[in-house]
Amino acid sequence: MRKVSSQELEKLFEFTKEHYVEYYDLQIELVDHLACAIEEKWEKDNTISFEKALKDVFDKFGIFGFSELVDERRKKIERKYFRLIKKCYWEHLQKKEYLGLMILYILIQFGLALFVPKITFIISVVLIYGLMLAQFVRLKINYKKKEKEIGYKLILVDVIYKNYHFICFSSTIFNLLLQYYLMMNYNIVYINIFLAITLPFIYLGIYIICYFLPNKTDKILDSFSPEYKLIKG
């Protein structure tokens, strides 16, 4: 039976790039699918040209081409990665070390809130917004470094390092709650108590998403994407 040659495989890779598939792991998956589909056509009629067989196979993807497949694949990985984040978050919450740090932070902020409430409030707000901004910049820089290190653009690396939505979401929710408390003219001590209780949970989320999991990128890639082993090999 007629098989897709190595030169034709290269053409398939170029074809996926031309149709806006920028992720190498997905290119591998698509090229394998396209090659199998083309060979199935050749099994029925080996006189069909490679270009005609490719056109017939691609037409089956519809008017949106590969875009729906890319979106579906990304959403699937995002859901799986989010489950990993939740698992790590819960595991860290169960650690005595972190629980000790949370209690210590709460006690310190309570103590400061009683004596210097305004200064404590300002420090807390500046600290959380400064940390979020720093991590936003840090993730962008580290993403470029990781992409250069791997040599390819991968969906999972995008998901791991482009968690800006978490930072933006946390910042928005924090800001809305803060504005609500301020508009309601709550005592600054009560606002500090609210910050003392909520900030440790936000800090843990930032730590897991911006530090802990990105530092395990290669391990996560190995477990999530079989294609990564081919890329490394």
Side-chain angles (χ1 to χ4, degrees), residues 124-137:
S124 297
V125 172
V126 169
L127 185 62
I128 187 62
Y129 281 122
L131 184 61
M132 286 180 178
L133 178 60
Q135 293 320 305
F136 184 88
V137 174

Side-chain angles (χ1 to χ4, degrees), residues 182-193:
L182 292 172
M183 286 174 62
M184 295 298 290
N185 291 317
Y186 279 97
N187 188 299
I188 195 73
V189 174
Y190 293 134
I191 297 177
N192 278 316
I193 291 172

Side-chain angles (χ1 to χ4, degrees), residues 6-214:
S6 57
Q7 290 82 5
E8 288 167 338
L9 284 174
E10 289 297 324
K11 289 181 181 179
L12 290 179
F13 273 106
E14 288 301 319
F15 183 81
T16 59
K17 291 177 188 176
E18 289 169 4
H19 287 82
Y20 311 107
V21 181
E22 55 183 341
Y23 302 108
Y24 187 61
D25 45 351
L26 191 52
Q27 288 174 13
I28 293 174
E29 191 177 314
L30 278 170
V31 166
D32 182 63
H33 172 79
L34 293 171
C36 290
I38 289 170
E39 288 173 357
E40 284 178 9
K41 281 190 163 293
W42 283 342
E43 191 173 0
K44 296 175 183 176
D45 183 2
N46 63 6
T47 62
I48 300 175
S49 68
F50 171 78
E51 288 74 17
K52 175 67 168 61
L54 175 57
K55 183 181 182 302
D56 291 344
V57 171
F58 180 65
D59 286 343
K60 293 180 181 179
F61 283 90
I63 58 173
F64 296 108
F66 298 132
S67 61
E68 289 184 353
L69 181 64
V70 173
D71 290 340
E72 182 184 333
R73 174 76 168 168
R74 187 182 185 93
K75 287 175 183 176
K76 182 179 178 182
I77 290 176
E78 284 177 343
R79 287 194 296 269
K80 190 174 179 180
Y81 187 66
F82 183 67
R83 288 196 295 270
L84 178 61
I85 290 173
K86 289 196 296 183
K87 179 174 177 287
C88 290
Y89 195 97
W90 177 244
E91 287 174 351
H92 277 76
L93 275 180
Q94 291 178 306
K95 290 181 179 179
K96 293 179 181 178
E97 298 88 345
Y98 189 74
L99 284 174
L101 286 173
M102 286 180 68
I103 294 170
L104 180 62
Y105 180 89
I106 291 171
L107 290 175
I108 291 173
Q109 183 137 345
F110 274 6
L112 291 173
L114 294 174
F115 297 103
V116 281
K118 290 185 178 179
I119 294 175
T120 303
F121 171 75
I122 293 171
I123 290 174
S124 297
V125 172
V126 169
L127 185 62
I128 187 62
Y129 281 122
L131 184 61
M132 286 180 178
L133 178 60
Q135 293 320 305
F136 184 88
V137 174
R138 180 179 174 276
L139 280 176
K140 290 192 74 170
I141 293 171
N142 286 353
Y143 170 72
K144 291 179 180 179
K145 288 180 180 177
K146 193 65 184 178
E147 191 178 72
K148 187 176 180 181
E149 175 190 324
I150 294 173
Y152 298 99
K153 195 176 182 68
L154 305 177
I155 293 181
L156 184 53
V157 174
D158 254 27
V159 171
I160 292 172
Y161 284 90
K162 289 191 174 180
N163 266 295
Y164 311 143
H165 60 274
F166 167 79
I167 297 174
C168 294
F169 175 77
S170 298
S171 178
T172 301
I173 295 299
F174 180 76
N175 185 54
L176 288 173
L177 288 172
L178 198 58
Q179 292 302 319
Y180 170 77
Y181 274 87
L182 292 172
M183 286 174 62
M184 295 298 290
N185 291 317
Y186 279 97
N187 188 299
I188 195 73
V189 174
Y190 293 134
I191 297 177
N192 278 316
I193 291 172
F194 159 74
L195 293 176
I197 295 170
T198 56
L199 287 182
F201 292 96
I202 297 176
Y203 290 146
L204 179 58
I206 292 173
Y207 167 71
I208 289 171
I209 290 174
C210 299
Y211 286 91
F212 184 76
L213 290 178

